[in-house]
Amino acid sequence: MMRTRPLKVALLGCGVVGSEVARIMTTHADDLTARIGAPVELAGIAVRRPGRVRAGVPEELVTTDATALVKRDDIDVVVEVIGGIEPARTLITTAFEHGASVVSANKALLAQDGAALHAAAEQHGVDLYYEAAVAGAIPLVRPLRESLAGDKVNRVLGIVNGTTNFILDKMDSSGAGYSEALDEATALGYAEADPTADVEGFDAAAKAAILAGIAFHTRVRLDDVYREGMTEVTAADFASAKQMGCTIKLLAICERAADGRSVTARVHPAMIPLTHPLASVREAYNAVFIEADAAGQLMFYGPGAGGSPTASAVLGDLVAVCRNKVAGTTGPGESAYTRLPVSTMGEVVTRYHISLDVADKPGVLAQVATVFAEHGVSIDTVRQQGKDGEASLVVVTHRAADAALSATVEALRKLDTVRGVASIMRVEGE
């Protein structure tokens, strides 16, 4: 039987995503009612600057008092799309205290305080859903939290930031330098005026923390994620990658250790073979590759940002939360029973591509090889080119621990024959 009393929704934020959420709730009201089993009504929209509310948003619903809105006794669900830590955190916990479930797209807050927010939701018997916080329209949270709940996930490897993928794709396809590719991304609206959160990996690191926590049933905070930006990637790096049959992507990598006793989460540029599915992800698209014991290899692909794609994920969560309200139940909460420690980057084992500027004279290769051997790092291939007393030496290692590689590089810098370390890049996806 259809419930007649409408479920009332408070919307916090009415920018690109929020205005699209409001539009879909209005234009698809009948479909949402049929899918939920009850009418759903937008009861209020909290904004900081009412003069900037977009066309089509009902003016009578707009308020600048977000706290009063989430404290209303008739609000069933709060949709938070304002971002940042505060006032979002206080508004969400206040909503919980007043019996409202929350749908959020706030990756930064969830990566920092996800455990506390989950605990508060459980305490008050409400839901916390956040599909839109990770990869826009791409379903990732629910497949990991529900579809793969009976499986053992070992690795999550993905491109989770469209801005960085656009820049790197342009560098790869056109031979452009980083600055040129960034300028194009900015002109097309893919990059913010201040792109730091994207190009330095902060955005991807927050998403990695969320994905790792869900995938491995343990608590992973933003501070646990190793982060390295992509601003130092050069056209020369792409040329080296092509010689190896690779391209370069900014990857979020979450892994369970081989012995199952720890996990790692990291974000950094990496060479990836052209044969890997992630290598073909172009423009501003996102894709995530999941490896699990029973399911094997799965790939999720699509637009990872933007008003409509992100609103799609928000509305999917809204329908799920409203269905739970109608049924008088809640969905799955935090699963952190494994309590696995998060290893440091020094313990991560992978392959490396190292480019050295060296003197062009006999014995240099032997010296370099000796340093690698002394630190227990095995060399896979070496390529040397020289002219007029200067040379470049490119070394690709077998798998080695990051700490061992770092010690090797420090020792190489002390050799008189090594003029400098041009670049160091990890090789993933093999």
Side-chain angles (χ1 to χ4, degrees):
M1 180 180 293
M2 178 73 70
R3 166 176 160 165
T4 56
R5 185 181 77 80
L7 291 159
K8 294 195 175 183
V9 178
L11 176 61
L12 306 182
C14 200
V16 174
V17 176
S19 59
E20 190 66 7
V21 170
R23 183 192 69 78
I24 295 173
M25 286 187 64
T26 302
T27 58
H28 295 180
D30 291 342
D31 286 335
L32 292 174
T33 296
R35 294 167 191 172
I36 291 168
V40 59
E41 176 184 302
L42 189 56
I45 304 171
V47 299
R48 280 180 287 187
R49 301 179 183 88
R52 295 187 180 183
V53 173
R54 294 169 184 266
V57 175
E59 291 185 12
E60 66 275 13
L61 297 181
V62 175
T63 177
T64 57
D65 194 342
T67 301
L69 179 59
V70 300
K71 283 184 175 180
R72 280 173 45 177
D73 292 335
D74 62 335
I75 296 297
D76 296 288
V77 183
V78 171
V79 174
E80 183 271 310
V81 289
I82 57 178
I85 305 302
E86 288 291 357
R89 174 170 50 197
T90 299
L91 291 170
I92 289 173
T93 54
T94 301
F96 291 154
E97 291 165 1
H98 286 77
S101 292
V102 171
V103 173
S104 176
N106 196 331
K107 53 188 169 286
L109 178 58
L110 288 159
Q112 178 173 304
D113 290 325
L117 293 175
H118 274 294
E122 183 177 2
Q123 177 186 350
H124 295 287
V126 293
D127 280 321
L128 173 62
Y129 276 46
Y130 44 89
E131 185 68 69
V134 176
I138 306 172
L140 278 175
V141 173
R142 194 169 289 117
L144 281 170
R145 192 161 65 173
E146 298 178 29
S147 304
L148 295 173
D151 207 340
K152 179 183 177 184
V153 176
N154 296 309
R155 196 175 197 223
V156 179
L157 174 74
I159 299 164
V160 294
N161 183 277
T163 299
T164 55
N165 199 57
F166 180 90
I167 293 170
L168 292 173
D169 182 46
K170 289 303 174 186
M171 291 177 70
D172 185 26
S173 61
S174 70
Y178 167 76
S179 296
E180 297 170 82
L182 173 59
D183 288 344
E184 183 174 353
T186 303
L188 292 172
Y190 290 123
E192 300 287 345
D194 179 1
T196 302
D198 295 322
V199 300
E200 293 295 350
F202 291 101
D203 175 84
K207 295 171 181 178
I210 296 169
L211 289 172
I214 299 170
F216 307 132
H217 303 277
T218 195
R219 287 178 178 170
V220 180
R221 288 170 50 87
L222 180 58
D223 291 346
D224 296 321
V225 181
Y226 172 84
R227 178 195 55 79
E228 185 180 317
M230 49 156 279
T231 56
E232 300 301 316
V233 176
T234 66
D237 291 325
F238 274 100
S240 294
K242 287 180 179 179
Q243 290 180 334
M244 290 180 59
C246 294
T247 188
I248 298 172
K249 300 291 186 182
L250 184 76
L251 298 177
I253 305 168
C254 312
E255 293 178 307
R256 189 191 300 267
D259 61 9
R261 296 180 180 177
S262 64
V263 299
T264 58
R266 50 197 165 102
V267 169
H268 54 72
M271 293 183 180
I272 189 166
L274 294 174
T275 53
H276 194 282
L278 290 179
S280 61
V281 178
R282 307 297 299 275
E283 300 284 331
Y285 279 80
N286 286 190
V288 176
F289 201 72
I290 296 174
E291 299 174 11
D293 273 1
Q297 297 179 331
L298 307 170
M299 183 163 155
F300 299 80
Y301 169 85
S308 294
T310 305
S312 171
V314 169
L315 267 295
D317 277 350
L318 179 63
V319 169
V321 167
C322 286
R323 284 173 175 170
N324 291 341
K325 286 282 185 180
V326 171
T329 186
T330 56
E334 182 190 35
S335 175
Y337 72 93
T338 63
R339 297 183 175 87
L340 295 172
V342 182
S343 298
T344 64
M345 188 62 192
E347 300 171 81
V348 170
V349 176
T350 189
R351 296 179 68 207
Y352 292 86
H353 176 283
I354 305 104
S355 180
L356 304 172
D357 294 327
V358 300
D360 186 15
K361 63 182 184 180
V364 173
L365 179 56
Q367 283 185 321
V368 169
T370 298
V371 170
F372 275 89
E374 288 174 346
H375 289 84
V377 179
S378 177
I379 294 176
D380 182 17
T381 62
V382 177
R383 185 174 70 255
Q384 184 174 10
Q385 294 177 323
K387 184 178 181 181
D388 298 329
E390 296 296 328
S392 64
L393 191 65
V394 175
V395 178
V396 179
T397 74
H398 287 289
R399 290 174 62 82
D402 188 87
L405 194 281
S406 296
T408 302
V409 171
E410 287 306 307
L412 288 170
R413 294 183 193 276
K414 295 176 182 178
L415 293 178
D416 292 338
T417 52
V418 175
R419 310 292 192 222
V421 180
S423 69
I424 304 171
M425 191 164 295
R426 297 168 183 88
V427 182
E428 302 286 348
E430 295 183 305

